[in-house]
């Protein structure tokens, strides 16, 4: 029962990402579930890897269907790219195979480095979601990467009159600095006022974080992630 609850809660937490993936499919025709052959077409071995897939372009999953399995081999695509274990933030290089422990309550889930992953609080149903701030999990990458996010009212046809919001986050990581740029398109006004940003995998100790040129306070949480609060309409974040 506890394990079932954990994964049901995970679904609610990932709803902003799930919603955006379905928007991508509706607007651009991108598949919701993507085989590894789509993520890394040049590697013919991926044709055989039918038990691993990507949900959207940012989350890789390998479901475990046998409760007796204690570990599994998992291939992470894309040479020169990085992936983070969702459960412990451990970073892995792409184009390599890893032996991963598979306790019952931790299905292998990996997040592509450079992803900005929005997250809802745990609720019992979507009608309970009343946001004052939106959590962003920001996964460092030592290169440039882009994440798209989609929001609308959720229960009207307002999006047909452009009452929606498409957000574009561009990140750029360097050995001693990290930058995020945000842009948006559409007429929808989010209910929340700010982001609770948690940075994963920052390889340096930051001395300052600036939002649109203004320094902001930051700290480390119990998981070792750097944390700060960001206005929802920021244009540029700089960390160095």
């Amino acid at each position: 029962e506890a394990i079932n609850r954990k994964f049901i809660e995970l679904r609610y937490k990932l709803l902003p990402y799930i919603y955006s993936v379905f928007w991508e499919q509706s607007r651009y025709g991108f598949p919701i579930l993507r085989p590894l052959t789509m993520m890394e077409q040049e590697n013919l071995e991926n044709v055989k890897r039918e038990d691993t897939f990507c949900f959207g372009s940012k989350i890789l999953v390998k479901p475990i269907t046998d409760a007796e399995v204690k570990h599994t081999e998992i291939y992470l695509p894309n040479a020169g790219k990085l992936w983070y274990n969702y459960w412990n933030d451990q970073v892995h290089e792409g184009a390599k195979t890893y032996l991963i422990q598979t306790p019952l309550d931790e299905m292998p889930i990996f997040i592509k480095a450079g992803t900005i992953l929005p997250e809802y609080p745990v609720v019992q149903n979507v009608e309970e979601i009343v946001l004052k701030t939106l959590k962003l999990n920001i996964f460092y990458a030592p290169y440039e990467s882009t994440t798209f996010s989609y929001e609308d009212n959720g229960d009207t046809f307002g999006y047909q009159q452009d009452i929606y919001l498409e957000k574009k986050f561009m990140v750029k990581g360097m050995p001693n600095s990290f930058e995020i740029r945000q842009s948006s398109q559409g007429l929808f006004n989010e209910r929340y006022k700010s982001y609770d940003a948690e940075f994963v995998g920052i390889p340096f100790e930051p001395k300052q974080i600036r939002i649109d040129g203004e320094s902001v306070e930051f700290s480390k949480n119990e998981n070792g992630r750097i944390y700060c609060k960001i206005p929802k309409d920021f244009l540029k974040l700089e960390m160095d």
Side-chain angles (χ1 to χ4, degrees):
E1 181 180 344
I3 295 173
N4 287 338
R5 185 184 302 111
K6 179 176 180 177
F7 282 98
I8 291 171
E9 291 176 349
L10 178 61
R11 170 188 173 271
Y12 280 109
K13 291 166 68 175
L14 293 180
L15 274 178
Y17 177 78
I18 295 170
Y19 205 63
S20 297
V21 170
F22 274 77
W23 158 74
E24 274 193 334
Q25 196 284 326
S26 174
R27 178 149 187 175
Y28 300 111
F30 297 143
I32 294 169
L33 302 182
R34 309 178 187 188
L36 292 188
T37 50
M38 181 177 176
M39 307 301 294
E40 191 184 59
Q41 299 180 25
E42 67 276 10
N43 187 344
L44 297 181
E45 288 297 311
N46 286 332
V47 175
K48 306 173 185 177
R49 298 182 172 113
E50 298 179 345
D51 55 357
T52 306
F53 61 88
C54 281
F55 182 60
S57 63
K58 304 297 186 182
I59 297 180
L60 182 143
V61 184
K62 183 175 182 179
I64 303 299
T65 57
D66 185 347
E68 300 302 317
V69 172
K70 304 302 180 185
H71 51 77
T72 186
E73 286 191 349
I74 186 167
Y75 175 78
L76 302 177
N78 305 127
K81 304 299 183 181
L82 301 176
W83 295 84
Y84 288 87
N85 188 314
Y86 176 82
W87 303 107
N88 58 26
D89 293 345
Q90 185 175 355
V91 65
H92 301 267
E93 296 180 0
K96 292 185 178 181
T97 299
Y98 297 90
L99 186 66
I100 302 296
Q101 300 300 313
T102 57
L104 281 176
D105 63 342
E106 290 187 9
M107 178 195 304
I109 299 174
F110 289 82
I111 311 299
K112 184 181 290 187
T115 295
I116 294 184
L117 186 67
E119 187 176 292
Y120 278 166
V122 173
V123 293
Q124 299 303 310
N125 63 75
V126 293
E127 293 181 355
E128 293 183 8
I129 299 174
V130 180
L131 295 178
K132 294 183 179 179
T133 184
L134 178 67
K135 181 180 178 181
L136 295 183
N137 299 292
I138 302 168
F139 295 85
Y140 172 88
Y143 42 78
E144 294 186 16
S145 182
T146 302
T147 298
F148 293 94
S149 182
Y150 175 84
E151 299 178 53
D152 63 21
N153 184 267
D155 57 4
T156 73
F157 292 98
Y159 67 92
Q160 296 177 346
Q161 286 78 45
D162 294 336
I163 311 297
Y164 63 84
L165 200 61
E166 294 181 19
K167 293 184 178 181
K168 180 181 180 181
F169 298 97
M170 298 182 64
V171 308
K172 181 179 180 181
M174 301 292 285
N176 296 300
S177 66
F178 187 60
E179 178 180 297
I180 306 173
R181 293 180 182 268
Q182 178 186 223
S183 58
S184 61
Q185 174 183 327
L187 302 176
F188 180 68
N189 187 25
E190 317 97 301
R191 299 177 180 89
Y192 53 87
K193 301 299 182 184
S194 61
Y195 298 126
D196 285 334
E198 293 191 6
F199 298 84
V200 183
I202 300 296
F204 57 91
E205 288 294 332
K207 296 180 176 62
Q208 61 178 337
I209 296 178
R210 298 181 301 278
I211 308 293
D212 297 329
E214 298 290 332
S215 294
V216 298
E217 294 183 356
F218 64 94
S219 60
K220 277 191 177 181
N221 63 18
E222 64 277 7
N223 297 319
R225 292 181 171 190
I226 296 168
Y227 164 84
C228 72
K229 190 172 286 290
I230 308 174
K232 69 174 183 180
D233 55 355
F234 85 97
L235 298 177
K236 184 179 181 181
L237 177 146
E238 299 168 283
M239 175 189 294
D240 51 37

